[in-house]
Amino acid sequence: AAPPAGCPVDHSKPPENHPTTGECPAPHSRGHTAPGSEPAAEKCPVEHKGPAPAARKRVDPEILKQLPNDRETSTIPSLEGPWQYPSQRQFYKATAAKGHDVNPADMASVIAIHNAVNEQAWVKIMQYEKMHEQECATPKLIRFLGRPGDMSMKARVTGWFGRTDPFDRHDWHVDRCGKEVRYIVDFYDGKPVANMPVSIYIDARPDFQTGGLWDRA
């Protein structure tokens, strides 16, 4: 699908065979909270399974104070209302704490790219969900789990034939009117495109284990 008007990311080009950029560092655990607020522990929308994270680094509080803490509301419906993207302050805090070298001045453009990529991931998921619109006209996001260290089977197999590895993977869990369906989303570096600062190719498809075999046939 072509990117929306004003989108800073090209999503249409398949990946080239070049080095990957590393996993998405966004604080995805803050999807359902109101702008400027912190989530209640029992409402965290992200699973925290997997290997223990690397030691977190202290973030300069003075830099955080200078960054906006307002959050953009996505077009993605969730069980608790529209999904909320992280603010510049939250994003910078998460990236810096993980040891990434980030410039606070870049946060506005980084947030714009991050949000645009997630919007396009949902568009691709909805292309599959449209096959089930008679069963459920209003699918909603339950949660998503970042799994940058877990190669999907498809990514592993295509890698054997020379395709570059994805730089990130998400598992998106969708509520199909009472039925939970998992989508596997691989993010690849795409081919360079003129007048586009970033090119990302998104491969989103339903998981076989939650009934996606026929949808992908």
Side-chain angles (χ1 to χ4, degrees):
C7 177
V9 183
D10 180 81
H11 307 279
S12 60
K13 304 295 182 181
E16 288 190 322
N17 294 330
H18 57 75
T20 58
T21 57
E23 76 276 8
C24 173
H28 296 301
S29 61
R30 301 204 171 113
H32 294 309
T33 56
S37 65
E38 294 297 319
E42 67 272 17
K43 292 185 178 180
C44 177
V46 177
E47 296 173 357
H48 300 281
K49 300 177 183 178
R56 300 183 70 82
K57 297 183 179 180
R58 183 179 180 277
V59 181
D60 187 344
E62 292 303 315
I63 294 179
L64 293 179
K65 291 179 182 178
Q66 298 172 17
L67 292 171
N69 203 33
D70 53 307
R71 303 171 63 182
E72 180 180 340
T73 299
S74 78
T75 64
I76 303 172
S78 77
L79 294 179
E80 299 180 23
W83 189 267
Q84 296 287 322
Y85 288 125
S87 67
Q88 292 185 41
R89 184 183 302 176
Q90 290 172 325
F91 202 107
Y92 178 83
K93 183 178 180 179
T95 54
K98 290 181 179 180
H100 294 280
D101 184 15
V102 289
N103 185 344
D106 294 335
M107 281 301 99
S109 55
V110 168
I111 285 285
I113 291 170
H114 172 268
N115 295 358
V117 168
N118 280 281
E119 291 289 326
Q120 284 301 304
W122 183 251
V123 168
K124 289 179 176 289
I125 288 172
M126 288 301 296
Q127 290 173 355
Y128 285 102
E129 285 300 304
K130 190 172 180 61
M131 300 178 187
H132 304 274
E133 60 183 350
Q134 290 187 347
E135 172 189 348
C136 181
T138 56
K140 298 177 180 179
L141 180 63
I142 301 173
R143 64 189 181 280
F144 60 88
L145 169 66
R147 301 179 60 183
D150 297 332
M151 187 83 72
S152 69
M153 179 58 70
K154 181 179 180 180
R156 185 178 294 111
V157 171
T158 55
W160 295 341
F161 295 93
R163 188 181 192 179
T164 185
D165 291 342
F167 66 80
D168 198 8
R169 169 189 170 177
H170 288 175
D171 284 3
W172 291 47
H173 294 256
V174 174
D175 175 71
R176 189 183 289 159
C177 296
K179 177 182 179 181
E180 183 171 332
V181 182
R182 182 175 74 154
Y183 282 84
I184 299 172
V185 185
D186 288 323
F187 299 91
Y188 293 87
D189 292 323
K191 294 180 180 179
V193 178
N195 301 319
M196 284 286 181
V198 177
S199 179
I200 296 176
Y201 179 77
I202 303 169
D203 184 4
R205 67 275 184 197
D207 181 26
F208 288 151
Q209 297 181 0
T210 56
L213 177 61
W214 298 112
D215 290 352
R216 293 167 63 174

